[in-house]
Amino acid sequence: SSLSCSLSLSLPGSSAAAEKSTLTLDPPWRTVFRWERFTLTCSRPYTPGGSTLWHRNGKAWRSTLKNRITIEEAEMNDSGSYKCQAPGSHPSDPIELTVSYDWLILQVPYYAVFEGDPLLLRCCGWQGDTVSNIRFYKDGKDIRLYPENSVLTIKQARTSDSGKYHCSGRIKNTMNIMAAETSHVASISVQELFSSPVLKITGSGDVIEGNPVTLRCFTQLNPQKSDIQLLRVFYKDSMAPIGTGISPDYHIPVAGLEDSGFYHCEVKTMTLSVQKQSSKLKLDVKRIPVSGVSLGVQPQGGRVTEGEQLVLSCSVEVGTGPITFSWHQKGSRQALRTETQHSQRMVYEIPAANETDMGEYYCMASNGNPPVSSPGVKIVVMVPVSPPLLTISVADAWATVGDVVEIWCESSRGSAPILYRFHHEGDALGNRTVSSRGPGSLALKVTSEQDTGTYFCEADNGMAHGSQRSAPFRLSVLVPVSGATITADPTGLEVMAGESMNLSCSVESGTAPLFKWLHNSEDLAAASGLSPPTAVGNMLYFRSVQLGHGGNYQCIASNQLSPQQVFQAHSKILAIAVIGTHR
Ligand SMILES: *[C@@H]1O[C@H](CO)[C@@H](O)[C@H](O)[C@H]1NC(C)=O
Ligand SMILES: *[C@@H]1O[C@H](CO)[C@@H](O)[C@H](O)[C@H]1NC(C)=O
């Protein structure tokens, strides 16, 4: 089988660096037969108007206004190294062209072939002679590819396709005799498009849980192909891709333990003509154990007023990953609360503290290791004093002069120490500080009726809500009677029978005295046979004195606190003589 070697094939050209002239050759082969036509084109950048300079074998060859030169019939001396220089740009890379006088040639591309590009090799006979039994050899070995025609096509070249190629075939010579012919050897070097990728962790040091991590898939693109875009695919533990894109980086914003594993990346061209994998990279995300656990208290100092909010915040200085926090009250076996959170600080709130919340607290934190405990913090719940109750050690709220009255003041609730202040009407009597449960007491020595009046007490434990006042208690003082005096009206020791006479009894002091009259040492009530005088209050009225009314009178004033405590004052004896009228 054969194919005319005069057919032109459309092949990719090489891309050139900027500012450099680009020299292309048509047909695109390193070797042409003698008398064949070839065209050199100098382009990109091409500025019309200037002259294109041409070099052959390192020497100035020609200068043309056009950017192309066609050699209609190549001769031996057209072999050589060609370069061109378009106006205003640098000389091109060279093209090595060989003009052959052989019967059979192997045509290989004049341009650099990159991985993934098609590679075409043509085995051609002189002047389009039919070649049969074509075989291709690489590095001296028959590569056992028997193409339908004279073209060997490698759809996507690999660097392993690099080597020394030649071909052989049978061809009719000038004598019209079939002869076996062998081509010259052509070296082909397939250029690496990009280097094998290497996956690395950017930055230095250990990868710590919670921190960001970036994996970079490094590869070096051939500078001649710098306009090619490469696709990166990232894999973890050889599973489905975890990331695809043109970025060389794969970001893990917050590394977790579960991100540990074996990663690799793959770099490929958009057309997938070339794909290369990195070797595996082990990522080991480290967890830092919890330490430096502390318990913070709000309000500061741990003194909270009953009913107010108490905040216990547990924090760790270091420790990564989700942390399990728990709060404990010393002496209680169960945790008050246990919570896991992706945070180094967590808060436990007691919305309204009460007395039972008083005590020592600590918290514990753990991220998988044995829990670490914080130092203990004392919490004092301050209870405002309740209005105190005032009690007095007397029955019926009565006392008498000389008594010592005990006054107690006690709030049923309130944090100690409590200061109790005692008051009588507007006057302060004194104060007592009580440092534990129990009343404050004051001994009041009753000295006079002045001590009568309203008593109250106040309780104060220094808290913002101020002191609390008891209900008033009214104490009455009974002054014992004394200094009873008996007087008569009319004055004088004699009185006419039939006249009126009034006796009165008065006391020097004494609360609400009652009066009793004695006539000749006998209770007046007991006296009989006479029209009796009338006793009203401290008065004894005689509407009409009779003879029998004469005698000794005495009054007794009395008052009492109780049937057991009776006070009496006796007046002097007043002798009354009644003078008869019948004389
Ligand atoms: C308590 O009583 C003492 C006298 O016994 C007095 O000096 C002091 O000021 C009182 N304190 C208060 C808070 O009333
Ligand atoms: C005794 O008291 C009564 C009533 O107050 C009075 O009417 C009478 O005149 C008085 N008698 C004398 C002797 O003062």
Side-chain angles (χ1 to χ4, degrees), residues 489-490 500-502 541:
D489 182 21
S500 78
M501 180 183 71
N502 297 334
Y541 300 108

Side-chain angles (χ1 to χ4, degrees), residues 451-520:
D451 295 326
T452 293
T454 299
Y455 289 78
F456 65 88
C457 69
E458 285 176 313
D460 190 349
N461 64 354
M463 291 181 67
H465 80 305
S467 62
Q468 296 288 309
R469 191 187 260 238
S470 71
F473 184 97
R474 193 174 163 81
L475 178 71
S476 299
V477 173
L478 181 122
V479 179
V481 288
S482 68
T485 307
I486 185 166
T487 48
D489 182 21
T491 53
L493 301 175
E494 289 182 346
V495 61
M496 296 292 287
E499 288 187 353
S500 78
M501 180 183 71
N502 297 334
L503 295 182
S504 75
C505 190
S506 61
V507 287
E508 215 173 279
S509 64
T511 308
L514 293 175
F515 297 94
K516 204 166 87 173
W517 298 91
L518 296 183
H519 180 219
N520 295 331

Side-chain angles (χ1 to χ4, degrees), residues 24 34 41 86-87 107 179 190 201 255 308 319 325 366 391 455 487 536:
T24 54
R34 185 191 185 192
T41 306
Q107 289 189 316
V190 177
I201 299 166
E308 286 182 353
F325 294 93
S366 159
T391 46
Y455 289 78
T487 48
V536 177

